[in-house]
Amino acid sequence: GAGATFPNPIYQKWFSEYHKLHSDVKVNYQSIGSGGGIRQITEATVDFGASDMPMTDDQLKAAQTKLNTKVLNIPTVLGADVPAYNIPGVSAELKFTPEILAGIFLGHINNWNDPAIAKANPDVKLPNQEIIVVHRSDGSGTTFIWTDYLSKISPEWKSQVGAGTSVNWPKGLGGKGNEGVAGSIRQLPGTLGYVELIYAIQNKIAYGRVRNSAGEFVKASLASVTAAAGSVTKMPADFRVSITNAPGKEAYPISSFTWLLVPVQAKDPARGKILADFLNWMVSDGQKMTASLSYAPLPENVVAKVKEAIKQVK
């Protein structure tokens, strides 16, 4: 398999644990970004892809034509994009409003002591230091989640930049993978970038609270990502759904499902059966392993639907 870096830590754990249970099954997963995952499954160079942006109608059509079978978007876990920063002399947990995040990424807010940031963080002494924006350089689902969120909260962002796995950034430096962005933030004073929650935790990078649609400043956590997932009262049959800027006082606003891209009919039926078995294990036993890596498990109503969908895989 190949694709998203956002869920790579939990995927590596799952594949390793599954191998311990089934010594004859070894999964090699390359974390190359969601854009690469969609491309490789469409070109049939992998048994499955992975993406944090569900495949579009056009992408699904292209894949079906090439593979001669339908591709399913199977949700696996939930995670969060966090605004991660490195400000010398500031150890406090910053608060970000939607307007601040859009302003920084649009290039309207360029200094850490900008009045808008100071107003949201009255108790923090902010330095007179330029903000260096860090974003992804590769086609990335983490980027899709971030830009999908910015498109919902900023009409200017929506009309000028929009949402996608790759966008035309108004400003900033590019890093490859969540790993690359986390590395740049760690090394460069004054930086602000977005990474999946576990990368901020593992790299000991500060990350802030974000004001949600209910007006609460919420920190990304297992509970707040689960609260965002709870906003999906009716999961679409094909599982393609966005939960950024979810309603609810406790919901973290930059949360998302992430998906495995699985052909219904495998080229090799033996591999198709192994993949179906793994997917069934993933949505049952595998879900119990998510918390240790700061991912949220799938809601129970979604698990039941996923188990039904997996029956198609052969």
Side-chain angles (χ1 to χ4, degrees):
T5 68
F6 179 95
N8 185 43
I10 185 68
Y11 287 0
Q12 296 299 350
K13 182 173 177 66
W14 280 345
F15 299 143
S16 154
E17 292 299 323
Y18 197 72
H19 178 61
K20 286 179 196 167
L21 298 169
H22 306 272
S23 57
D24 55 333
V25 177
K26 190 167 191 308
V27 182
N28 171 10
Y29 179 75
Q30 301 293 322
S31 104
I32 58 170
S34 296
I38 291 170
R39 196 166 55 249
Q40 292 215 11
I41 191 62
T42 305
E43 290 166 2
T45 51
V46 288
D47 295 302
F48 64 91
S51 174
D52 319 311
M53 171 186 176
M55 289 172 77
T56 63
D57 291 349
D58 288 349
Q59 286 168 339
L60 285 169
K61 211 158 141 189
Q64 185 160 355
T65 306
K66 181 90 195 232
L67 302 172
N68 211 14
T69 186
K70 207 166 76 166
V71 173
L72 304 175
N73 289 261
I74 301 278
T76 55
V77 286
L78 293 122
D81 274 12
V82 295
Y85 52 89
N86 172 356
I87 314 169
V90 175
S91 55
E93 182 182 282
L94 292 187
K95 291 176 176 169
F96 293 95
T97 63
E99 295 76 18
I100 290 170
L101 291 175
I104 291 171
F105 277 79
L106 281 163
H108 301 329
I109 296 175
N110 297 298
N111 198 297
W112 280 111
N113 67 0
D114 186 277
I117 305 176
K119 188 180 173 194
N121 298 276
D123 304 329
V124 183
K125 192 173 177 349
L126 293 156
N128 175 12
Q129 179 156 17
E130 185 194 351
I131 299 171
I132 301 166
V133 170
V134 187
H135 55 71
R136 287 284 285 275
S137 58
D138 50 334
S140 146
T142 310
T143 294
F144 172 73
I145 296 160
W146 191 255
T147 56
D148 180 50
Y149 169 71
L150 291 179
S151 295
K152 287 183 185 176
I153 55 92
S154 164
E156 186 183 352
W157 182 274
K158 187 176 183 180
S159 64
Q160 287 190 17
V161 186
T165 50
S166 294
V167 296
N168 198 356
W169 294 100
K171 68 177 294 185
L173 310 169
K176 191 165 173 19
N178 268 288
E179 303 89 345
V181 173
S184 295
I185 297 168
R186 276 192 72 169
Q187 288 157 22
L188 294 170
T191 41
L192 172 79
Y194 57 91
V195 290
E196 204 284 325
L197 174 59
I198 190 65
Y199 291 87
I201 293 170
Q202 286 180 343
N203 289 284
K204 298 185 169 51
I205 301 169
Y207 58 98
R209 291 175 177 263
V210 181
R211 196 183 72 208
N212 66 14
S213 61
E216 301 288 331
F217 283 96
V218 178
K219 191 163 190 179
S221 68
L222 217 57
S224 62
V225 172
T226 301
S231 70
V232 185
T233 45
K234 197 168 179 341
M235 180 59 119
D238 62 7
F239 303 110
R240 294 186 297 160
V241 70
S242 160
I243 56 165
T244 53
N245 209 31
K249 280 180 74 160
E250 277 138 33
Y252 178 71
I254 321 178
S255 301
S256 179
F257 286 92
T258 186
W259 295 264
L260 285 182
L261 314 173
V262 179
V264 164
Q265 186 76 53
K267 281 187 295 189
D268 172 351
R271 286 188 175 217
K273 180 172 185 329
I274 289 167
L275 192 49
D277 289 346
F278 167 76
L279 292 170
N280 276 311
W281 175 86
M282 175 199 81
V283 293
S284 48
D285 294 0
Q287 294 297 306
K288 297 170 192 150
M289 302 173 188
T290 58
S292 63
L293 288 167
S294 299
Y295 293 93
L298 297 174
E300 280 176 25
N301 62 329
V302 176
V303 168
K305 283 188 166 172
V306 171
K307 283 183 174 169
E308 277 304 305
I310 295 166
K311 289 177 183 170
Q312 301 172 62
V313 178
K314 50 188 182 289

